[in-house]
Amino acid sequence: MTSDTTQTELVAAETEALRGLITCARVVLWDFDGPICRLFAGHAADKVADDLVEWLEGRGLHGLLTDAERQSLDPHIVLRAVGRRHPGSDLVDELEERLTQEELRATSSAMPTPYADPLILTWKAVGARMAIATNNSPPVVRTYLASRGLTSCFTPHIYGRTRQLHHLKPDPHCLNRALSAMGSAPGDALMIGDTPSDLYAAKAAGVPFLGYARNERKEKRLRGAGATTVVASLEQVLELVRTASAFSPNSSSNFSSNFSPKRSGQL
Ligand SMILES: [Mg+2]
């Protein structure tokens, strides 16, 4: 067997795995920042993290963060670190509110993920039910979805950051809230995420996982964490959703029979 043959077989096997994930999913749980948009595309996340650190330092709280946390340039790492040291405090509430305001500002320059909008609309149209399970603030998600005309695809199933920071992914809390509210078994759902913490949260909730990686670095991180099905573009997912629905519009094939009809009052 040549290495080309092996490579072809690997690609074919992964496409089959992807088709399996798609046809079995009655409920699709989306991470927000990454699979749906790049929230900080025009509004640097490292600047936001820096501002949070500076704000803490301005209050004489320099020692609250380790050097690694201070230099992480990741606002969620800063927030989570403070949450661990002062759970339920006014300080955490204030910091969370500051991050929410920054995220809200970022929505106006967020970059839609290629093919995310048509994929959401198409999947919804063929009967899948959708929820957002994110570490971002729910008002931020609502603002972005409204700007893209996607609100009705998800409402009311948007589960995001609360001031209980220990519930952030990789904790499965937001996935469990979505499954419970939608009356879905974990095995009937699919989580789409772009980071190892999405994968760990999905595993903890018992939900199958599809990784989205817009570059090789992100793909390596996901595969290194144990993700087995990762796509570089949502176009591939869209094509499979379209193909599966086109060939089984009213049949009893896996794809159509696995989608439960929308229940009134739930979405
Ligand atoms: Mg993400």
Side-chain angles (χ1 to χ4, degrees):
M1 187 184 291
T2 67
S3 64
D4 274 358
T5 310
T6 311
Q7 187 59 28
T8 306
E9 285 175 0
L10 281 174
V11 169
E14 186 141 334
T15 302
E16 266 323 291
L18 178 59
R19 194 191 311 276
L21 287 175
I22 289 169
T23 53
C24 289
R26 296 182 185 187
V27 165
V28 185
L29 308 179
W30 291 77
D31 174 42
F32 174 65
D33 189 7
I36 291 185
C37 68
R38 276 178 71 193
L39 180 58
F40 288 102
H43 188 94
D46 52 0
K47 170 82 170 63
V48 173
D50 257 357
D51 288 351
L52 295 180
V53 170
E54 225 171 78
W55 179 77
L56 284 169
E57 289 178 351
R59 299 180 56 142
L61 297 167
H62 179 86
L64 202 53
L65 299 173
T66 64
D67 283 348
E69 287 160 353
R70 213 174 291 121
Q71 289 156 17
S72 68
L73 306 180
D74 180 337
H76 284 123
I77 288 180
V78 173
L79 182 62
R80 206 192 300 259
V82 175
R84 258 197 315 271
R85 278 152 214 158
H86 293 276
S89 65
D90 289 349
L91 178 65
V92 169
D93 287 357
E94 228 174 302
L95 200 60
E96 197 279 333
E97 179 57 30
R98 289 184 84 83
L99 178 54
T100 297
Q101 291 308 320
E102 292 290 351
E103 288 175 344
L104 277 171
R105 266 192 285 279
T107 56
S108 61
S109 53
M111 183 70 75
T113 299
Y115 300 97
D117 290 19
L119 174 58
I120 290 164
L121 291 165
T122 304
W123 221 338
K124 178 80 178 169
V126 297
R129 299 166 67 213
M130 306 273 173
I132 304 274
T134 175
N135 282 353
N136 294 113
S137 180
V140 173
V141 177
R142 283 189 211 103
T143 302
Y144 176 82
L145 293 178
S147 76
R148 307 295 304 171
L150 295 171
T151 302
S152 64
C153 295
F154 294 95
T155 301
H157 295 298
I158 295 168
Y159 304 96
R161 186 175 68 233
T162 67
R163 289 177 178 180
Q164 303 293 312
L165 299 181
H166 60 283
H167 284 158
L168 292 175
K169 291 176 283 185
D171 189 278
H173 183 77
C174 61
L175 284 77
N176 288 335
R177 284 178 66 205
L179 295 174
S180 164
M182 300 171 94
S184 172
D188 291 336
L190 174 67
M191 174 83 204
I192 302 179
D194 69 329
T195 60
S197 57
D198 296 315
L199 171 69
Y200 300 144
K203 278 191 170 165
V207 173
F209 182 79
L210 169 60
Y212 165 69
R214 66 183 162 82
N215 57 37
E216 270 183 34
R217 182 180 57 83
K218 284 191 163 259
E219 179 177 359
K220 267 190 188 150
R221 283 190 70 209
L222 281 173
R223 292 201 189 273
T228 51
T229 311
V230 180
V231 293
S233 166
L234 295 179
E235 183 179 20
Q236 199 186 345
V237 184
L238 176 60
E239 283 309 311
L240 284 171
V241 168
R242 277 188 178 142
T243 309
S245 60
F247 283 104
S248 56
N250 296 304
S251 74
S252 58
S253 76
N254 279 346
F255 188 82
S256 60
S257 63
N258 273 337
F259 284 123
S260 53
K262 185 165 81 178
R263 292 178 216 165
S264 61
Q266 277 197 310
L267 289 171

